[in-house]
Amino acid sequence: MPLPGVPNLEFQLPGPDNHCGMKKLFVKTYGCQMNAYDSAKMADLLAPLGYAATYAPEGADMVILNTCHIRERAAEKVYSELGRLKQLKAAKAKDGGRMVLAVAGCVAQAEGAEIVARAPQVDLVVGPQSYHRLPEMIARAARQNGHVLETDFPALEKFDTLAPPQASKVSAFLTVQEGCDKFCTFCVVPYTRGSEYSRPPEAILIEARQLADKGAREIVLLGQNVNAYAADGWSLAKLCKAIAEIKDIERIRYTTSHPRDMGDDLIAAHGENEKLMPYLHLPVQSGADAVLEAMNRQHKADDYRRLVDRIRVARGDIALTSDFIVGFPGESDADFEATLSLVRDIGYATAFSFKYSKRPGTPASTMRKQIPEEVKAARLEALQKLLLSQQYSFDDSQIGKVLPVLFEKTAREPGQLMGRSQYLQPVHVNTDAAWIGGVVDVRIERRTANSLHGVLA
Ligand code: 5AD
Ligand code: SF4
């Protein structure tokens, strides 16, 4: 499952802007949490080479675009960004410097050599499974002054050679599984991230302890199919149990899960492991069996309903979220109604919904009975209206309650902190920055569009 959470979000790695003797590295991240994790790892990897993160591409010695391929026209957006960077690179050359320009991530994987053909200003093209080779690629690019491409799939090797984390946020991402063998007919992930691979548990536990030492209080285990995690006889539930034994880690989450891989032990863990948060992103995509079949999801709508019932038996208050695609080829009005009816049956805390859009090379892109744009737009609007009303009623149901909030950082408004409830809702509180990194009881007083607000209880 592509990772959820931040569609279309672009963000930069923060970094101090004092670079006495350091080379400046600017990483622009597109897309999902796994890309954010990969960007942090690339920065860790380049630190020993003298690169320090900077906030802007102007004057940078190295610029990495860590790209995402899940949205429409993703490649085109990258090419237009590369057009802007070409000018900055030329300006740097005029001053006698050199800007190394790298394209990483899933667009790099999908486009490969096409990138340097269309944008010769690019020095390096590096796929998501090859970025551990960046230091060597930079050296090669410096020597040969030409283009260097790495888009193999040596995932196993990548994780073995990654540097330990240099720093950590309060809530830290940790990739435990990568790739996907499910081949949903709309999705590019099996082609860009490769087949399923689970990291060995020992390596994950070492990284979790390192993150805790650097200040992490929450670990978010990442994988395109994270609940398919299986290595050396370990399941995701067993991994969560072992991570829960790290004293400084207060909270554990994982994303993204496939309904078919929701094992009994993982369901049970939600009732047993106190550090495992009552929140689950479990994409269903559609509520109509015919559409689920055409999507190759390998489950029916009622299988999903029964699964949710079982999860709620284990943990009654679990907050459920999902991804939906409307206007998949062949989706009838009745199929779409079935999706609305599934949403009403489940009751989501929040959800992401998208209009189907063609991805070149995927089976659905050549299916007949593509749905007209205006039908997709109308369905998306109706679905989002329903999902938003569910989100508001879930958020409103917290008003007056006392929730444990893990404070992550200062908020935009002075004197205010931002944290998250156990259900992942952002919570804003006026209080002392000393609480950052702590789990504190907060009485919820009101809700705004995307956040709860409260006072220390
Ligand atoms: N069209 C629309 N939405 C898509 N997603 C993935 N591929 C497509 C596509 N071709 C959505 C799915 C997935 C989420 C991250 O992005 O809902 O779960
Ligand atoms: Fe998720 Fe299906 Fe894509 Fe795999 S193919 S990442 S299961 S949506």
Side-chain angles (χ1 to χ4, degrees), residues 24-45:
K24 293 191 217 166
L25 167 69
F26 177 73
V27 186
K28 182 163 181 173
T29 310
Y30 300 80
C32 68
Q33 293 102 322
M34 195 174 283
N35 265 13
Y37 173 89
D38 289 345
S39 290
K41 283 286 168 208
M42 287 189 241
D44 289 343
L45 207 62

Side-chain angles (χ1 to χ4, degrees), residues 388 391-392 395 425-426 428 447-452:
L388 199 63
Q391 180 183 321
Y392 286 165
D395 287 351
Q425 296 147 301
H428 286 83
R447 159 181 80 72
T448 48
N450 287 309
S451 177
L452 298 175

